Amino acid sequence: MDQHFDPIIVAFCCWHCSYAAADLAGTSRIQYPTNIRIIRVPCTGRVDLIHIFKAFAEGADGVLVAGCLKGQCHYVDGNLKAELRVIFAKRILESIGIEPERLEMVFVSAAMGAEFASIIREFVERIRSLGPNPAKLKKHGQLKESTKSRE
Amino acid sequence: MSPDNAKVGVFICHCGKNIAGVINVEEVRRFAEKLPGVVVAKDYMFMCSQTGQRLIKDAIKEHRLNRVVVASCSPKLHEPTFRKCISEAGLNPYLLEMVNLREHCSWPHLYEPGKATEKAKALLKAAVERAKRLEPVKSVKIPVIKSVLVIGGGVAGIQAALDLAEQGFRVYLVERSPSIGGNMARVVKTFPTDDCAMCILSPKMSEVASHPNITLFTCSEVISVDGHVGNFTVRILKRPRHIDEEKCVACGACEEVCPVLVPDEFDLGMRMRKAIYIPFPQAIPRVYLIDTDKCIRCGMCAQVCERNAINFDEKPKELELKVGAIIVATGFEEFDPSPITEYGYGEYDNVVTQMQLARMLDPLGPTHGEILRADGKPAKTIVMIQCVGSRDHRFNKYCSSVCCMVALKHAQLIKLEHDPQAEVYICCIDIRAYRKGYEEYADRARELGVKIIKGRVSKVEEDKKSGKLKVYVYNVVLDEVMVIDADLVVLSSAMIPSRGTQDLAKILGVEVGPDGFLKELHPKLQPIDTKIPGIFICGCAQGPKDIPDSVAQGSAAAARAASLLSRGEITIDLIIPEVNEDLCRKCGICVRFCPFNALELPPEGKSVRVIELKCKGCGTCAAACPTGAIQLKHYKDEQILAQIEGILGV
């Protein structure tokens, strides 16, 4: 395990629950690693495969999709639809040589600030032990070139 | 508008030291300044203050900004503030993007200022990229229906209904049981003044029954809620009483002849009632009903009823109501302590709950006000056990907040009104007497000789022959185990949300907290509001509380509803999907995925249509669409993808 590797993780958080759980973790001053970067969506049901793959293509080492607890989605069952998409996306990741463990669906309520923080801590550790996203290593050269051409 | 034409202003808040104490604001500001599309980047101590807002407005004018990024606290707190601010400067409120620097960055990373600053840059770059692609969102004004549904006819619901009715709004009060009054009708006397509960409650109950603006539905439950703030459609199921409410005068002739005996729910099974009954003498409405599960259809009641009020063929009815707001006041019920086997509730006859003791203390109750053991002999030594099912990690972690006072009240009533010689023990972790006049009330109990023992009871044992109980309690002050011989053990059982709270929460779409009570929007600043605009909560549905707090919250809920209703119309922002007709293949997948039936596929091969006011803006349709034809406003693919690029671009 590379302790010096600092992964970047994108988390898609639903506005009603997991975003609020992250707010609560902050308000309660519960500490978790800086590796997580949250993108707000109205509901995890909004998270499309293209968003997940875009994150990996842009170099995210891990992607977390965080919805409401099962049965408590504010839009009936958007979180369950997201879960199915995540399962499907994991299969695609596997087929293109990216570890499916880099993607995870979790369920938290707005009241679960501490739990969400520990989910983040565990996920960061998981990704750290997996090492950098293989797609990023490949992309790196191309990225530099495209930046150059823009300039 | 193309993202290249965006002129973004970035405003970074220090939030005193909350953000600036961790994140290097100046470094982030300099970073922001250089981002493509950013025209101006400023920082300020408190961006939400008047001066901070003025700074944003001036910059919008000076630099002709068309997009604004505010990096401060959670948008849950101040998004409305800054949306209003930029709209006052002439921008559409949705041309704002917020960066959650405080809750999501400085606070959870207090000891990593360097890394937190780097993260702040990434979040900011994402916000700028997203902001450049934001589009104005339209809003519509809709009229508000000037009526309110109150669910639950306990003291909180009664208070809310009366307050609203007095202000001239139409109120529909829906109660599941056959009478309003709730748990307060059972409690005999109220602390800390020892007022008779029914004497202060029944005038309010009668007022509900007679108020021209209140329509009362008893034996009724809400089965569905549709619509949105200002315009809800509610369906109610009214179970049959089998007695005509208009004709019955509660003469009681039917009850006398009814041959069927059933344990009485109001007295918690401590006495029997008939199959045709009135729940309690002061019940509102004062109308009998038939318990059809127990009725043997002998027809004797119908023979004696002079007013022909009995109708065995009455069927359940469904009613539809239109309301502008909903108040939930579904209250609590007492936790059943039988799973706590060491106390023997349900096994030993002389172990009862505080609510059962309250019924015994009622002169009209099952024991006519006497405190009796199961064998009918008076109870001389009474031991109360506190925190039964509350403050207990096996059951409920929370404090039920009223049980200390209930125990003190019952102990005093026993000493003052029944038997000064009786020995009363209260075994507790501590006595919580926190409100005005409560500690003085506890003092009075001590002066009357009520013995308060600090310590948890480990077990209760019964002597099979005499029915006497041995209570083992570890007294933490004396550091020894005490064994008390008791005639009666009274369990101060926890308050739990009333049966069906979870189901109702689902119907309404409001959130339930980890303790099972309905969750308020903000524990301090929005204690009455819920996640769903137009739905308010009050009383014990929100959490354990005593009568004064329930009444205060009932009034508060009424005030919240009234301020909404008196506005006349409300503005709804249309965060709804847009359909690109060229891309839509009319496959109907989105229609099937929509949880709110807000999409329809018209015949004649037209593309999908959005029913504006049914849509709640979740975006499930957009993620399901195979061609990207349907896009949720404010959360379009290009906006989210740009944000992803930005967040990973640092």
PDB file of all heavy atoms in Angstrom, chain B residues 290-319:
ATOM      1  N   ILE B 290     -69.900   1.252  17.043  1.00  0.00           N
ATOM      2  CA  ILE B 290     -69.946  -0.198  17.227  1.00  0.00           C
ATOM      3  C   ILE B 290     -68.598  -0.788  16.827  1.00  0.00           C
ATOM      4  O   ILE B 290     -68.062  -0.483  15.767  1.00  0.00           O
ATOM      5  CB  ILE B 290     -71.084  -0.838  16.392  1.00  0.00           C
ATOM      6  CG1 ILE B 290     -72.432  -0.285  16.853  1.00  0.00           C
ATOM      7  CG2 ILE B 290     -71.050  -2.356  16.502  1.00  0.00           C
ATOM      8  CD1 ILE B 290     -73.615  -0.775  16.055  1.00  0.00           C
ATOM      9  N   ASP B 291     -68.054  -1.607  17.708  1.00  0.00           N
ATOM     10  CA  ASP B 291     -66.814  -2.321  17.441  1.00  0.00           C
ATOM     11  C   ASP B 291     -67.207  -3.581  16.658  1.00  0.00           C
ATOM     12  O   ASP B 291     -67.593  -4.601  17.233  1.00  0.00           O
ATOM     13  CB  ASP B 291     -66.177  -2.660  18.789  1.00  0.00           C
ATOM     14  CG  ASP B 291     -64.863  -3.389  18.639  1.00  0.00           C
ATOM     15  OD1 ASP B 291     -64.587  -3.877  17.526  1.00  0.00           O
ATOM     16  OD2 ASP B 291     -64.130  -3.469  19.638  1.00  0.00           O
ATOM     17  N   THR B 292     -67.124  -3.490  15.331  1.00  0.00           N
ATOM     18  CA  THR B 292     -67.692  -4.578  14.511  1.00  0.00           C
ATOM     19  C   THR B 292     -66.890  -5.867  14.615  1.00  0.00           C
ATOM     20  O   THR B 292     -67.393  -6.938  14.311  1.00  0.00           O
ATOM     21  CB  THR B 292     -67.803  -4.166  13.033  1.00  0.00           C
ATOM     22  OG1 THR B 292     -66.603  -3.509  12.670  1.00  0.00           O
ATOM     23  CG2 THR B 292     -68.986  -3.258  12.799  1.00  0.00           C
ATOM     24  N   ASP B 293     -65.630  -5.761  15.051  1.00  0.00           N
ATOM     25  CA  ASP B 293     -64.849  -6.993  15.230  1.00  0.00           C
ATOM     26  C   ASP B 293     -65.422  -7.838  16.360  1.00  0.00           C
ATOM     27  O   ASP B 293     -65.300  -9.058  16.359  1.00  0.00           O
ATOM     28  CB  ASP B 293     -63.384  -6.649  15.575  1.00  0.00           C
ATOM     29  CG  ASP B 293     -62.655  -6.063  14.383  1.00  0.00           C
ATOM     30  OD1 ASP B 293     -63.180  -6.236  13.264  1.00  0.00           O
ATOM     31  OD2 ASP B 293     -61.615  -5.434  14.590  1.00  0.00           O
ATOM     32  N   LYS B 294     -66.015  -7.167  17.344  1.00  0.00           N
ATOM     33  CA  LYS B 294     -66.496  -7.878  18.529  1.00  0.00           C
ATOM     34  C   LYS B 294     -68.013  -8.038  18.538  1.00  0.00           C
ATOM     35  O   LYS B 294     -68.536  -8.916  19.228  1.00  0.00           O
ATOM     36  CB  LYS B 294     -66.048  -7.124  19.795  1.00  0.00           C
ATOM     37  CG  LYS B 294     -64.547  -6.962  19.905  1.00  0.00           C
ATOM     38  CD  LYS B 294     -63.897  -8.271  20.294  1.00  0.00           C
ATOM     39  CE  LYS B 294     -62.430  -8.398  19.893  1.00  0.00           C
ATOM     40  NZ  LYS B 294     -61.576  -7.292  20.174  1.00  0.00           N
ATOM     41  N   CYS B 295     -68.729  -7.213  17.776  1.00  0.00           N
ATOM     42  CA  CYS B 295     -70.198  -7.241  17.768  1.00  0.00           C
ATOM     43  C   CYS B 295     -70.697  -8.580  17.243  1.00  0.00           C
ATOM     44  O   CYS B 295     -70.141  -9.133  16.287  1.00  0.00           O
ATOM     45  CB  CYS B 295     -70.698  -6.099  16.878  1.00  0.00           C
ATOM     46  SG  CYS B 295     -72.468  -6.133  16.566  1.00  0.00           S
ATOM     47  N   ILE B 296     -71.735  -9.130  17.899  1.00  0.00           N
ATOM     48  CA  ILE B 296     -72.268 -10.431  17.463  1.00  0.00           C
ATOM     49  C   ILE B 296     -73.542 -10.277  16.626  1.00  0.00           C
ATOM     50  O   ILE B 296     -74.231 -11.252  16.327  1.00  0.00           O
ATOM     51  CB  ILE B 296     -72.528 -11.356  18.675  1.00  0.00           C
ATOM     52  CG1 ILE B 296     -73.423 -10.653  19.699  1.00  0.00           C
ATOM     53  CG2 ILE B 296     -71.210 -11.814  19.306  1.00  0.00           C
ATOM     54  CD1 ILE B 296     -73.963 -11.559  20.780  1.00  0.00           C
ATOM     55  N   ARG B 297     -73.853  -9.029  16.266  1.00  0.00           N
ATOM     56  CA  ARG B 297     -75.010  -8.735  15.410  1.00  0.00           C
ATOM     57  C   ARG B 297     -76.326  -9.268  16.018  1.00  0.00           C
ATOM     58  O   ARG B 297     -77.177  -9.777  15.317  1.00  0.00           O
ATOM     59  CB  ARG B 297     -74.856  -9.362  14.013  1.00  0.00           C
ATOM     60  CG  ARG B 297     -73.620  -8.972  13.249  1.00  0.00           C
ATOM     61  CD  ARG B 297     -73.777  -7.586  12.615  1.00  0.00           C
ATOM     62  NE  ARG B 297     -72.789  -7.316  11.603  1.00  0.00           N
ATOM     63  CZ  ARG B 297     -71.500  -7.041  11.847  1.00  0.00           C
ATOM     64  NH1 ARG B 297     -71.056  -7.048  13.088  1.00  0.00           N
ATOM     65  NH2 ARG B 297     -70.677  -6.771  10.858  1.00  0.00           N
ATOM     66  N   CYS B 298     -76.479  -9.147  17.362  1.00  0.00           N
ATOM     67  CA  CYS B 298     -77.720  -9.635  17.977  1.00  0.00           C
ATOM     68  C   CYS B 298     -78.859  -8.655  17.717  1.00  0.00           C
ATOM     69  O   CYS B 298     -80.020  -9.025  17.779  1.00  0.00           O
ATOM     70  CB  CYS B 298     -77.530  -9.853  19.474  1.00  0.00           C
ATOM     71  SG  CYS B 298     -77.189  -8.335  20.388  1.00  0.00           S
ATOM     72  N   GLY B 299     -78.485  -7.393  17.457  1.00  0.00           N
ATOM     73  CA  GLY B 299     -79.517  -6.414  17.112  1.00  0.00           C
ATOM     74  C   GLY B 299     -80.257  -5.820  18.289  1.00  0.00           C
ATOM     75  O   GLY B 299     -81.202  -5.049  18.119  1.00  0.00           O
ATOM     76  N   MET B 300     -79.822  -6.137  19.521  1.00  0.00           N
ATOM     77  CA  MET B 300     -80.535  -5.609  20.686  1.00  0.00           C
ATOM     78  C   MET B 300     -80.432  -4.094  20.781  1.00  0.00           C
ATOM     79  O   MET B 300     -81.371  -3.412  21.166  1.00  0.00           O
ATOM     80  CB  MET B 300     -80.009  -6.271  21.969  1.00  0.00           C
ATOM     81  CG  MET B 300     -80.568  -7.669  22.141  1.00  0.00           C
ATOM     82  SD  MET B 300     -79.660  -8.613  23.353  1.00  0.00           S
ATOM     83  CE  MET B 300     -80.279  -7.908  24.868  1.00  0.00           C
ATOM     84  N   CYS B 301     -79.270  -3.568  20.405  1.00  0.00           N
ATOM     85  CA  CYS B 301     -79.077  -2.117  20.466  1.00  0.00           C
ATOM     86  C   CYS B 301     -80.061  -1.408  19.533  1.00  0.00           C
ATOM     87  O   CYS B 301     -80.677  -0.407  19.897  1.00  0.00           O
ATOM     88  CB  CYS B 301     -77.651  -1.752  20.135  1.00  0.00           C
ATOM     89  SG  CYS B 301     -77.013  -2.503  18.632  1.00  0.00           S
ATOM     90  N   ALA B 302     -80.226  -1.984  18.324  1.00  0.00           N
ATOM     91  CA  ALA B 302     -81.122  -1.357  17.347  1.00  0.00           C
ATOM     92  C   ALA B 302     -82.556  -1.341  17.869  1.00  0.00           C
ATOM     93  O   ALA B 302     -83.310  -0.391  17.616  1.00  0.00           O
ATOM     94  CB  ALA B 302     -81.039  -2.094  16.023  1.00  0.00           C
ATOM     95  N   GLN B 303     -82.905  -2.378  18.637  1.00  0.00           N
ATOM     96  CA  GLN B 303     -84.274  -2.426  19.166  1.00  0.00           C
ATOM     97  C   GLN B 303     -84.550  -1.317  20.173  1.00  0.00           C
ATOM     98  O   GLN B 303     -85.643  -0.780  20.232  1.00  0.00           O
ATOM     99  CB  GLN B 303     -84.526  -3.783  19.839  1.00  0.00           C
ATOM    100  CG  GLN B 303     -84.736  -4.898  18.832  1.00  0.00           C
ATOM    101  CD  GLN B 303     -84.722  -6.257  19.514  1.00  0.00           C
ATOM    102  OE1 GLN B 303     -84.996  -6.386  20.704  1.00  0.00           O
ATOM    103  NE2 GLN B 303     -84.406  -7.278  18.720  1.00  0.00           N
ATOM    104  N   VAL B 304     -83.511  -0.987  20.984  1.00  0.00           N
ATOM    105  CA  VAL B 304     -83.765   0.015  22.030  1.00  0.00           C
ATOM    106  C   VAL B 304     -83.485   1.450  21.575  1.00  0.00           C
ATOM    107  O   VAL B 304     -83.878   2.392  22.250  1.00  0.00           O
ATOM    108  CB  VAL B 304     -82.972  -0.277  23.326  1.00  0.00           C
ATOM    109  CG1 VAL B 304     -83.428  -1.574  23.956  1.00  0.00           C
ATOM    110  CG2 VAL B 304     -81.481  -0.265  23.058  1.00  0.00           C
ATOM    111  N   CYS B 305     -82.793   1.617  20.459  1.00  0.00           N
ATOM    112  CA  CYS B 305     -82.456   2.972  20.034  1.00  0.00           C
ATOM    113  C   CYS B 305     -83.703   3.691  19.529  1.00  0.00           C
ATOM    114  O   CYS B 305     -84.280   3.316  18.513  1.00  0.00           O
ATOM    115  CB  CYS B 305     -81.384   2.951  18.942  1.00  0.00           C
ATOM    116  SG  CYS B 305     -80.924   4.629  18.420  1.00  0.00           S
ATOM    117  N   GLU B 306     -84.112   4.707  20.295  1.00  0.00           N
ATOM    118  CA  GLU B 306     -85.359   5.393  19.943  1.00  0.00           C
ATOM    119  C   GLU B 306     -85.207   6.262  18.707  1.00  0.00           C
ATOM    120  O   GLU B 306     -86.185   6.612  18.069  1.00  0.00           O
ATOM    121  CB  GLU B 306     -85.811   6.255  21.131  1.00  0.00           C
ATOM    122  CG  GLU B 306     -86.365   5.411  22.254  1.00  0.00           C
ATOM    123  CD  GLU B 306     -86.772   6.252  23.451  1.00  0.00           C
ATOM    124  OE1 GLU B 306     -86.667   7.491  23.383  1.00  0.00           O
ATOM    125  OE2 GLU B 306     -87.204   5.642  24.456  1.00  0.00           O
ATOM    126  N   ARG B 307     -83.987   6.637  18.371  1.00  0.00           N
ATOM    127  CA  ARG B 307     -83.781   7.567  17.259  1.00  0.00           C
ATOM    128  C   ARG B 307     -83.350   6.859  15.978  1.00  0.00           C
ATOM    129  O   ARG B 307     -82.965   7.504  15.008  1.00  0.00           O
ATOM    130  CB  ARG B 307     -82.761   8.630  17.658  1.00  0.00           C
ATOM    131  CG  ARG B 307     -83.265   9.452  18.837  1.00  0.00           C
ATOM    132  CD  ARG B 307     -82.238  10.454  19.286  1.00  0.00           C
ATOM    133  NE  ARG B 307     -81.874  11.392  18.237  1.00  0.00           N
ATOM    134  CZ  ARG B 307     -82.476  12.559  18.027  1.00  0.00           C
ATOM    135  NH1 ARG B 307     -83.475  12.933  18.792  1.00  0.00           N
ATOM    136  NH2 ARG B 307     -82.068  13.351  17.066  1.00  0.00           N
ATOM    137  N   ASN B 308     -83.396   5.526  16.006  1.00  0.00           N
ATOM    138  CA  ASN B 308     -83.016   4.744  14.819  1.00  0.00           C
ATOM    139  C   ASN B 308     -81.660   5.155  14.250  1.00  0.00           C
ATOM    140  O   ASN B 308     -81.493   5.339  13.053  1.00  0.00           O
ATOM    141  CB  ASN B 308     -84.072   4.902  13.709  1.00  0.00           C
ATOM    142  CG  ASN B 308     -85.280   4.057  13.999  1.00  0.00           C
ATOM    143  OD1 ASN B 308     -85.154   2.968  14.563  1.00  0.00           O
ATOM    144  ND2 ASN B 308     -86.447   4.579  13.651  1.00  0.00           N
ATOM    145  N   ALA B 309     -80.692   5.312  15.152  1.00  0.00           N
ATOM    146  CA  ALA B 309     -79.383   5.808  14.726  1.00  0.00           C
ATOM    147  C   ALA B 309     -78.471   4.680  14.257  1.00  0.00           C
ATOM    148  O   ALA B 309     -77.425   4.936  13.674  1.00  0.00           O
ATOM    149  CB  ALA B 309     -78.731   6.572  15.872  1.00  0.00           C
ATOM    150  N   ILE B 310     -78.849   3.462  14.535  1.00  0.00           N
ATOM    151  CA  ILE B 310     -77.924   2.342  14.260  1.00  0.00           C
ATOM    152  C   ILE B 310     -78.088   1.823  12.840  1.00  0.00           C
ATOM    153  O   ILE B 310     -79.201   1.591  12.367  1.00  0.00           O
ATOM    154  CB  ILE B 310     -78.128   1.238  15.312  1.00  0.00           C
ATOM    155  CG1 ILE B 310     -77.680   1.799  16.666  1.00  0.00           C
ATOM    156  CG2 ILE B 310     -77.351  -0.029  14.950  1.00  0.00           C
ATOM    157  CD1 ILE B 310     -78.117   1.021  17.848  1.00  0.00           C
ATOM    158  N   ASN B 311     -76.950   1.668  12.183  1.00  0.00           N
ATOM    159  CA  ASN B 311     -76.974   1.224  10.790  1.00  0.00           C
ATOM    160  C   ASN B 311     -75.834   0.239  10.581  1.00  0.00           C
ATOM    161  O   ASN B 311     -74.686   0.611  10.419  1.00  0.00           O
ATOM    162  CB  ASN B 311     -76.806   2.454   9.876  1.00  0.00           C
ATOM    163  CG  ASN B 311     -76.616   2.064   8.425  1.00  0.00           C
ATOM    164  OD1 ASN B 311     -76.782   0.900   8.057  1.00  0.00           O
ATOM    165  ND2 ASN B 311     -76.256   3.037   7.601  1.00  0.00           N
ATOM    166  N   PHE B 312     -76.171  -1.051  10.611  1.00  0.00           N
ATOM    167  CA  PHE B 312     -75.131  -2.089  10.494  1.00  0.00           C
ATOM    168  C   PHE B 312     -74.523  -2.145   9.095  1.00  0.00           C
ATOM    169  O   PHE B 312     -73.472  -2.705   8.899  1.00  0.00           O
ATOM    170  CB  PHE B 312     -75.717  -3.464  10.834  1.00  0.00           C
ATOM    171  CG  PHE B 312     -75.960  -3.636  12.303  1.00  0.00           C
ATOM    172  CD1 PHE B 312     -77.241  -3.607  12.823  1.00  0.00           C
ATOM    173  CD2 PHE B 312     -74.884  -3.828  13.161  1.00  0.00           C
ATOM    174  CE1 PHE B 312     -77.450  -3.755  14.176  1.00  0.00           C
ATOM    175  CE2 PHE B 312     -75.097  -3.978  14.517  1.00  0.00           C
ATOM    176  CZ  PHE B 312     -76.376  -3.940  15.031  1.00  0.00           C
ATOM    177  N   ASP B 313     -75.212  -1.550   8.121  1.00  0.00           N
ATOM    178  CA  ASP B 313     -74.756  -1.686   6.735  1.00  0.00           C
ATOM    179  C   ASP B 313     -73.831  -0.561   6.287  1.00  0.00           C
ATOM    180  O   ASP B 313     -73.422  -0.538   5.136  1.00  0.00           O
ATOM    181  CB  ASP B 313     -75.961  -1.735   5.782  1.00  0.00           C
ATOM    182  CG  ASP B 313     -76.877  -2.880   6.150  1.00  0.00           C
ATOM    183  OD1 ASP B 313     -76.327  -3.918   6.566  1.00  0.00           O
ATOM    184  OD2 ASP B 313     -78.108  -2.728   6.034  1.00  0.00           O
ATOM    185  N   GLU B 314     -73.519   0.378   7.197  1.00  0.00           N
ATOM    186  CA  GLU B 314     -72.680   1.500   6.787  1.00  0.00           C
ATOM    187  C   GLU B 314     -71.333   1.002   6.260  1.00  0.00           C
ATOM    188  O   GLU B 314     -70.724   0.093   6.816  1.00  0.00           O
ATOM    189  CB  GLU B 314     -72.452   2.430   7.986  1.00  0.00           C
ATOM    190  CG  GLU B 314     -71.877   3.769   7.584  1.00  0.00           C
ATOM    191  CD  GLU B 314     -71.518   4.628   8.798  1.00  0.00           C
ATOM    192  OE1 GLU B 314     -71.976   4.334   9.919  1.00  0.00           O
ATOM    193  OE2 GLU B 314     -70.755   5.587   8.609  1.00  0.00           O
ATOM    194  N   LYS B 315     -70.899   1.606   5.162  1.00  0.00           N
ATOM    195  CA  LYS B 315     -69.647   1.174   4.510  1.00  0.00           C
ATOM    196  C   LYS B 315     -68.551   2.231   4.728  1.00  0.00           C
ATOM    197  O   LYS B 315     -68.861   3.403   4.960  1.00  0.00           O
ATOM    198  CB  LYS B 315     -69.878   1.018   2.997  1.00  0.00           C
ATOM    199  CG  LYS B 315     -70.904  -0.059   2.640  1.00  0.00           C
ATOM    200  CD  LYS B 315     -70.207  -1.399   2.471  1.00  0.00           C
ATOM    201  CE  LYS B 315     -71.196  -2.515   2.198  1.00  0.00           C
ATOM    202  NZ  LYS B 315     -72.091  -2.854   3.315  1.00  0.00           N
ATOM    203  N   PRO B 316     -67.266   1.822   4.615  1.00  0.00           N
ATOM    204  CA  PRO B 316     -66.202   2.828   4.680  1.00  0.00           C
ATOM    205  C   PRO B 316     -66.354   3.826   3.531  1.00  0.00           C
ATOM    206  O   PRO B 316     -66.804   3.450   2.445  1.00  0.00           O
ATOM    207  CB  PRO B 316     -64.913   2.016   4.494  1.00  0.00           C
ATOM    208  CG  PRO B 316     -65.291   0.598   4.662  1.00  0.00           C
ATOM    209  CD  PRO B 316     -66.745   0.477   4.372  1.00  0.00           C
ATOM    210  N   LYS B 317     -65.996   5.064   3.806  1.00  0.00           N
ATOM    211  CA  LYS B 317     -66.145   6.105   2.778  1.00  0.00           C
ATOM    212  C   LYS B 317     -64.796   6.720   2.453  1.00  0.00           C
ATOM    213  O   LYS B 317     -63.964   6.896   3.345  1.00  0.00           O
ATOM    214  CB  LYS B 317     -67.070   7.214   3.306  1.00  0.00           C
ATOM    215  CG  LYS B 317     -68.489   7.113   2.770  1.00  0.00           C
ATOM    216  CD  LYS B 317     -69.292   8.328   3.184  1.00  0.00           C
ATOM    217  CE  LYS B 317     -69.851   8.137   4.568  1.00  0.00           C
ATOM    218  NZ  LYS B 317     -70.673   9.076   5.187  1.00  0.00           N
ATOM    219  N   GLU B 318     -64.599   7.053   1.193  1.00  0.00           N
ATOM    220  CA  GLU B 318     -63.395   7.800   0.823  1.00  0.00           C
ATOM    221  C   GLU B 318     -63.781   9.226   0.501  1.00  0.00           C
ATOM    222  O   GLU B 318     -64.731   9.459  -0.237  1.00  0.00           O
ATOM    223  CB  GLU B 318     -62.717   7.151  -0.383  1.00  0.00           C
ATOM    224  CG  GLU B 318     -61.670   6.125   0.017  1.00  0.00           C
ATOM    225  CD  GLU B 318     -60.803   5.694  -1.148  1.00  0.00           C
ATOM    226  OE1 GLU B 318     -60.381   6.552  -1.948  1.00  0.00           O
ATOM    227  OE2 GLU B 318     -60.574   4.478  -1.248  1.00  0.00           O
ATOM    228  N   LEU B 319     -63.030  10.177   1.073  1.00  0.00           N
ATOM    229  CA  LEU B 319     -63.328  11.589   0.824  1.00  0.00           C
ATOM    230  C   LEU B 319     -62.096  12.246   0.238  1.00  0.00           C
ATOM    231  O   LEU B 319     -60.968  11.835   0.515  1.00  0.00           O
ATOM    232  CB  LEU B 319     -63.657  12.290   2.141  1.00  0.00           C
ATOM    233  CG  LEU B 319     -64.762  11.678   2.981  1.00  0.00           C
ATOM    234  CD1 LEU B 319     -64.597  12.086   4.420  1.00  0.00           C
ATOM    235  CD2 LEU B 319     -66.103  12.130   2.445  1.00  0.00           C
TER     236      LEU B 319
END
